[in-house]
Amino acid sequence: MLKLRNALQHRLTEALARVVAPSDGPVDFPLTPATRPEFGDFQANGAMGLAKVLGRPPRRIAQAVVDHLQVEDLCHPPQVAGPGFINFTVRPEVLAAEVQARLDQPRLGVPMAQPRQRVAVDFSSPNIAKEMHVGHLRSTIIGDCIARLLSFRGHQVLRLNHLGDWGTQFGMLIAHLKHVAPRSLSGEEHVDLGDLVAFYRQAKGRFDEDEGFREQSRGEVVELQAGEPESLRAWGLLCRQSRQAFQAVYDRLDVQLVERGESFYNQALPGVVEDLEQAGLLVVDDGARCVFLEGMTGKDGQPLPLIVQKRDGGYNYATTDLAAIRQRLASPDGGGEGAHRVVYVTDAGQSNHFAAVFQVAQRAGWVPTGCHLQHVPFGLVQGTDGKKLKTRSGATVRLRDLLDEAVERARLDLVERMAQEQRQAEEGFVEQVAETVGIAAVKYADLSQNRTTNYQFSFDRMLSLQGNTAPYLLYAYVRIQGIARQGGSLGAEEKPVALWLQAPQELSLARQLLNFDEVILEVEQDLLPNRLCAYLFGLSQTFNRFYDQLPVLKAPDRSRPTRLALCRLSAQTMGLG
Ligand code: ARG
């Protein structure tokens, strides 16, 4: 409805110019989607604000605006309601023409963003030699959704995987492997991520207990940071093993990422500290180099420091993030990415970290005007008991197992229902459907929740055919494909006729379909995928009502092309959504 809204807003501005004199100052009279269907399609509430400026009752102002409005080609006569709202109801033939114009269009009415920006989305970002956990899964799913949406809007999106692939843990791991599995470091012996995780745990145990081992580990870190070839090779091997395991998950989820791990910024770290020094932000506190944060205080009310270089000369997670910001925002001639916007998708627990590094980057002058940094936080993943998600034995849930279980449950359910209906399927059908439904269920369950809240992971709920779930949406979608199979191409090949919207079910489906563009723009603004999900769920419900209550293939001649076209646009909208 964006195009219609813009057209009406334009007419509204024209009418307003006749009611308000330029000397009354600038007026704001926005047209917004109606809050309830009874109010029509749009409403304008500006009269209330103007009442004070003009010293006239709001209803009188609204009426004066309506008297000057020329919208009969688009709307029924606008109504003044309540304290001074103006309600607009679009004419059915205008809606029908909009539906017709949108059919079979690849963008379904969604305009390309103006201006188009370069946006870096930093998401997923698991750590080498550790299992990817459910938090990384959330980041992967939400980040991918945001990246897809922004690309669709025409932005140039960089999908960055800020892998935790550097730091003191590697010293520890290499030192330990030299003792227990030296052949794994030369590549003669294969270790998988599971082995690495176990080695990591052992190494950590030794590190905490054994001073000699700590000493060795530090030595290994120094060699690694100095670029000693053998250490680098061992490190590269460790990364490769983990990377394979991560890639398997990405492939399964159909998620693309560019690896840009912490090690990428290693060379830049001394320069970051130097820059901060130059900018006059650096303070040496008890041997550590840090920046004191403005407006962020600790328990004692004193400003908190952001430590960028530890007393022993080592750098922190934050230092790497500062280097990353500087590189992402720097212009391409200077070796940067030239991003206008950087979006970080991590758990809400890292909010303070990002607030701190964004502030320091700002004060260091690395954020050009018009560019912005944005943390997109999400809540914890919990089990159905409301506690942190764990396996029955209390271990962290491995992502691979979790996806396998979703697919297996989807498969069992399908097999059971097929047996009930005594249906036979072609080779591979069950596997394909189970994989589609299982993976979709996991993704959709995550996306359909407001990301800022904690979310309870429940296989039963996400795989249910009822409610706001992937199976429900997929069902509505395949239902339309079923109509297409019986009724040809849903009218696509028939001679185009003017559509005719008459039944209330047709009108509400058309309105809902036309809202797709507004929803996409909203999600681009607030980066809340659940809004898109809520829209798609509502659309599926409206479609199901339409299809249950009105004949389509057996509709009277006058209605058939319209109903087929509504089916077609419903499938296209759900598919794109
Ligand atoms: N590796 C981090 C973790 O597992 C997430 C990194 C997020 N991105 C960033 N630029 N800090 O928590």
Side-chain angles (χ1 to χ4, degrees):
M1 297 276 238
L2 270 175
K3 226 178 76 204
L4 268 175
R5 179 143 74 103
N6 290 339
L8 281 173
Q9 179 77 62
H10 188 71
R11 309 271 181 100
L12 197 57
T13 310
E14 282 176 347
L16 210 60
R18 305 206 173 187
V19 176
V20 185
S23 57
D24 293 323
V27 292
D28 194 22
F29 218 97
L31 193 68
T32 52
T35 49
R36 288 214 237 138
E38 316 73 288
F39 299 157
D41 293 298
F42 300 106
Q43 64 193 45
N45 303 344
M48 267 76 81
L50 263 185
K52 285 183 217 88
V53 184
L54 301 184
R56 274 196 274 158
R59 275 191 74 98
R60 290 259 291 284
I61 300 172
Q63 191 56 55
V65 173
V66 166
D67 292 342
H68 286 99
L69 260 174
Q70 301 208 329
V71 292
E72 33 319 321
D73 55 330
L74 302 175
C75 293
H76 292 306
Q79 302 293 317
V80 176
F85 306 116
I86 309 177
N87 292 337
F88 296 80
T89 304
V90 176
R91 289 181 177 281
E93 60 274 23
V94 176
L95 293 175
E98 289 290 309
V99 168
Q100 192 125 27
R102 187 173 291 193
L103 265 174
D104 306 323
Q105 268 211 358
R107 302 193 58 79
L108 299 184
V110 180
M112 290 295 260
Q114 275 313 333
R116 295 162 73 175
Q117 294 188 315
R118 271 170 87 79
V119 188
V121 184
D122 174 320
F123 69 107
S124 193
S125 309
N127 304 311
I128 299 291
K130 295 193 194 163
E131 287 284 356
M132 237 174 141
H133 54 65
V134 283
H136 296 125
L137 178 69
R138 267 206 111 172
S139 174
T140 307
I141 293 171
I142 296 171
D144 179 56
C145 174
I146 290 173
R148 282 174 191 253
L149 189 120
L150 294 174
S151 314
F152 178 71
R153 280 279 285 141
H155 298 299
Q156 203 181 339
V157 176
L158 296 162
R159 302 162 147 262
L160 302 181
N161 200 356
H162 192 85
L163 274 187
D165 66 351
W166 199 248
T168 43
Q169 75 268 29
F170 286 95
M172 190 171 87
L173 197 57
I174 294 174
H176 181 60
L177 287 172
K178 277 192 174 166
H179 281 261
V180 298
R183 281 153 52 87
S184 67
L185 288 175
S186 57
E188 288 161 87
E189 187 187 333
H190 178 81
V191 287
D192 67 17
L193 185 57
D195 302 330
L196 274 186
V197 170
F199 285 135
Y200 184 88
R201 206 174 298 132
Q202 294 160 8
K204 180 83 174 74
R206 281 179 73 183
F207 189 88
D208 291 342
E209 270 155 30
D210 178 349
E211 174 55 34
F213 182 72
R214 274 204 289 276
E215 210 39 55
Q216 273 172 31
S217 303
R218 286 196 201 103
E220 292 294 346
V221 176
V222 173
E223 288 194 3
L224 181 62
Q225 290 185 336
E228 225 270 293
E230 202 157 317
S231 308
L232 275 181
R233 201 165 56 131
W235 167 77
L237 256 157
L238 297 176
C239 292
R240 208 166 311 148
Q241 310 295 357
S242 298
R243 201 177 282 137
Q244 279 171 6
F246 300 155
Q247 193 56 45
V249 172
Y250 298 143
D251 288 345
R252 199 159 185 198
L253 295 175
D254 188 20
V255 170
Q256 313 268 338
L257 277 151
V258 175
E259 185 177 324
R260 188 65 70 72
E262 295 184 22
S263 62
F264 178 84
Y265 305 99
N266 186 38
Q267 307 291 324
L269 301 180
V272 163
V273 177
E274 234 163 78
D275 267 19
L276 294 174
E277 172 99 71
Q278 295 267 314
L281 297 176
L282 210 64
V283 177
V284 181
D285 190 40
D286 195 18
R289 311 174 103 187
C290 52
V291 178
F292 280 96
L293 299 164
E294 288 170 353
M296 295 169 96
T297 47
K299 285 201 194 81
D300 53 2
Q302 295 300 310
L304 280 172
L306 181 74
I307 298 174
V308 293
Q309 193 169 20
K310 291 180 285 191
R311 212 159 44 160
D312 64 7
Y315 300 101
N316 282 336
Y317 180 54
T319 326
T320 303
D321 259 323
L322 287 171
I325 292 177
R326 203 177 57 156
Q327 193 268 344
R328 290 167 185 180
L329 296 179
S331 79
D333 336 325
E337 299 297 348
H340 302 107
R341 181 176 178 191
V342 188
V343 174
Y344 294 82
V345 188
T346 78
D347 62 287
Q350 301 198 34
S351 296
N352 287 338
H353 162 76
F354 285 110
V357 295
F358 293 172
Q359 181 194 113
V360 172
Q362 195 79 46
R363 285 162 64 197
W366 298 335
V367 187
T369 18
C371 292
H372 71 283
L373 302 164
Q374 188 179 8
H375 180 217
V376 173
F378 54 79
L380 298 173
V381 183
Q382 301 168 320
T384 30
D385 55 2
K387 303 213 185 86
K388 202 170 161 211
L389 190 69
K390 288 264 161 74
T391 61
R392 239 167 263 132
S393 65
T396 0
V397 180
R398 291 196 312 170
L399 282 197
R400 200 174 356 136
D401 298 342
L402 186 146
L403 298 178
D404 281 345
E405 182 162 351
V407 171
E408 178 57 12
R409 285 181 182 232
R411 195 184 66 84
L412 290 175
D413 178 64
L414 180 64
V415 168
E416 191 186 302
R417 280 187 299 120
M418 285 179 55
Q420 271 166 17
E421 293 174 20
Q422 299 187 345
R423 274 176 55 174
Q424 305 293 321
E426 289 163 33
E427 169 94 25
F429 172 83
V430 169
E431 282 64 35
Q432 199 210 328
V433 173
E435 182 77 15
T436 306
V437 172
I439 299 293
V442 172
K443 283 192 181 186
Y444 190 81
D446 207 327
L447 295 174
S448 58
Q449 298 284 323
N450 182 317
R451 61 170 162 76
T452 58
T453 55
N454 292 346
Y455 124 79
Q456 289 196 353
F457 191 97
S458 155
F459 284 117
D460 288 334
R461 208 175 312 139
M462 70 178 69
L463 286 162
S464 165
L465 263 171
Q466 305 304 324
N468 189 7
T469 63
Y472 179 83
L473 260 67
L474 287 167
Y475 176 69
Y477 183 78
V478 296
R479 202 171 180 197
I480 310 179
Q481 306 305 321
I483 310 169
R485 275 195 297 276
Q486 298 161 46
S489 50
L490 294 179
E493 281 142 27
E494 289 172 23
K495 211 161 51 216
V497 290
L499 302 184
W500 180 61
L501 295 170
Q502 202 244 347
Q505 295 94 328
E506 295 166 348
L507 281 159
S508 56
L509 181 55
R511 290 198 152 93
Q512 198 136 9
L513 287 168
L514 293 175
N515 264 331
F516 182 68
D517 49 9
E518 301 256 14
V519 173
I520 296 292
L521 263 60
E522 263 173 42
V523 181
E524 183 188 4
Q525 273 303 311
D526 53 26
L527 304 183
L528 287 174
N530 61 298
R531 290 193 165 204
L532 177 55
C533 295
Y535 168 80
L536 293 170
F537 178 50
L539 175 61
S540 306
Q541 287 177 310
T542 308
F543 174 81
N544 282 335
R545 216 169 304 130
F546 157 90
Y547 189 64
D548 290 338
Q549 295 174 2
L550 299 176
V552 171
L553 292 169
K554 295 202 173 78
D557 283 349
R558 194 154 179 219
S559 293
R560 202 181 119 99
T562 300
R563 292 187 189 164
L564 286 174
L566 286 172
C567 288
R568 197 157 96 234
L569 188 57
S570 297
Q572 288 166 354
T573 308
M574 288 178 202
L576 184 57

